[in-house]
Amino acid sequence: MRYLPAAAFAVTLALSAAPAAAMPDPPKPAFDQVKGTAADGARYYENSVVIEAPASKLWAAFTDINVYRLWAVPVSAIDFRLGGAIEASYDPKGHLGDPQNIRNEFIAYIPDRLLVFRNVQAPDGLPGKDDYGKTVKTLEFESLGPNRTRVTVSGMGFAPGEGFDKLYAFFSQGDGQMLLSLKNAMEK
């Protein structure tokens, strides 16, 4: 049988007896996330963050091209209406109309509260590109006061399969990072 030296035993005992409150809390995630599976077996995620800005300003960040370009990508266009789309190129040398741009079509909205869209064009390098148009995204803007809003981006419709698995992994984290970029830009 092996024994701990007295000093090591005392440290081990002290650490194990320390109250939980004395231990540092794990770092809080930069954005809140919920993941789950719907009744039809498709996966979904919800990422949210509180931003110190009014809902109307955050709504404009997705519906007004001048505001969108301030925080998202400079090569972009917004045709805000049902059936309209956000088109963007992540290539700084890109141009509108390029088949490698991403295009998301607006399929529903409630002003300053909800945007719903579906992908209609994606670049070749997107993991699971062929399945992206089978999913739906929502952006919700929940006013928490005159200058404070919870923004939630949700992705749903990620069925079983390799393409959907890749998309789910990519967007469940990527959309959270997008919210952090939005927060950083809008709180400046």
Side-chain angles (χ1 to χ4, degrees), residues 22-87:
M23 300 300 287
D25 289 334
K28 185 176 183 216
F31 56 89
D32 295 325
Q33 185 174 69
V34 174
K35 290 182 174 183
T37 303
D40 65 358
R43 290 162 291 171
Y44 65 89
Y45 63 86
E46 296 177 353
N47 296 331
S48 64
V49 67
V50 173
I51 300 176
E52 301 300 326
S56 60
K57 180 178 179 181
L58 299 169
W59 170 266
F62 294 92
T63 60
D64 180 318
I65 191 60
N66 296 317
V67 181
Y68 185 74
R69 286 181 179 158
L70 291 174
W71 75 274
V73 292
V75 180
S76 54
I78 296 177
D79 176 12
F80 182 65
R81 61 183 172 83
L82 291 180
I86 295 178
E87 178 180 350

Side-chain angles (χ1 to χ4, degrees), residues 43 131 158-170:
R43 290 162 291 171
D131 291 322
F158 296 89
E162 184 180 352
F164 285 110
D165 292 347
K166 290 176 181 178
L167 279 169
Y168 188 76
F170 183 83

